Amino acid sequence: MFKGLGQMGDMAKMMKAAKEMQQKVTDLQEELHTMTVTGESGAGLVKAVATAKGELKSLDIDPSIFNTDDKEVVEDLILAAIKDAQHKASDKSQEEMGKITEGLGLPADFKMPF
C-alpha cells in the first residue's frame, strides 16, 4: 500500500481481513444448512439425519423394532438417535468454524462475536 501510512496501512489490512472473515462466516452459516450428519441408536436400528445447524431432516427406523410390548424402548431409541444427530451437528458446526478461525491464526476454540 502506501509506505508512509505505517499503522494506518496495518489497520486497513486488519479491516480487510475482518471483512473477509465475516464473509467466510456468513458463507459457512449458509453451508451448515445443507451439510448433514447422521445420528444412530440401537446399533443402527434407528437413524436420524439432521443438518449441521441441528434441524432434523429424516428418521429411518428398522421395522424389526416395532413390537407393542417395546413401545418405551422404541421411543428411547428414537430420542437417542435424534440427540446423537444434534450432538454431531453441533460438533460439525464447531469444526467448520474452527477451520475459519485457524486460518486467521486464532485459536480453534475462538468464539466469533457475530
Side-chain angles (χ1 to χ4, degrees), residues 20-29 94-107 112:
E20 288 173 3
M21 178 178 65
Q22 189 170 13
Q23 185 60 50
K24 286 181 181 179
V25 170
T26 300
D27 293 345
L28 176 60
Q29 293 293 334
Q94 288 178 358
E95 174 189 327
E96 294 297 322
M97 192 64 72
K99 290 177 185 176
I100 291 175
T101 57
E102 285 179 29
L104 295 168
L106 299 169
M112 291 290 176

Side-chain angles (χ1 to χ4, degrees), residues 34-47:
T34 59
M35 291 180 186
T36 59
V37 294
T38 302
E40 296 184 14
S41 67
L45 291 174
V46 178
K47 296 176 184 170

Side-chain angles (χ1 to χ4, degrees), residues 3 5 7-8 12 15 19 21 23 26 28 33 36 43 45 49-50 53-54 72-73 81 92 94 98 113-114:
K3 292 183 179 180
L5 291 180
Q7 288 183 339
M8 283 186 58
M15 294 300 289
K19 188 169 180 91
M21 178 178 65
Q23 185 60 50
T26 300
L28 176 60
H33 286 287
T36 59
L45 291 174
V49 176
K53 287 294 259 181
E72 289 181 15
V73 172
K92 182 69 170 174
Q94 288 178 358
F114 45 82

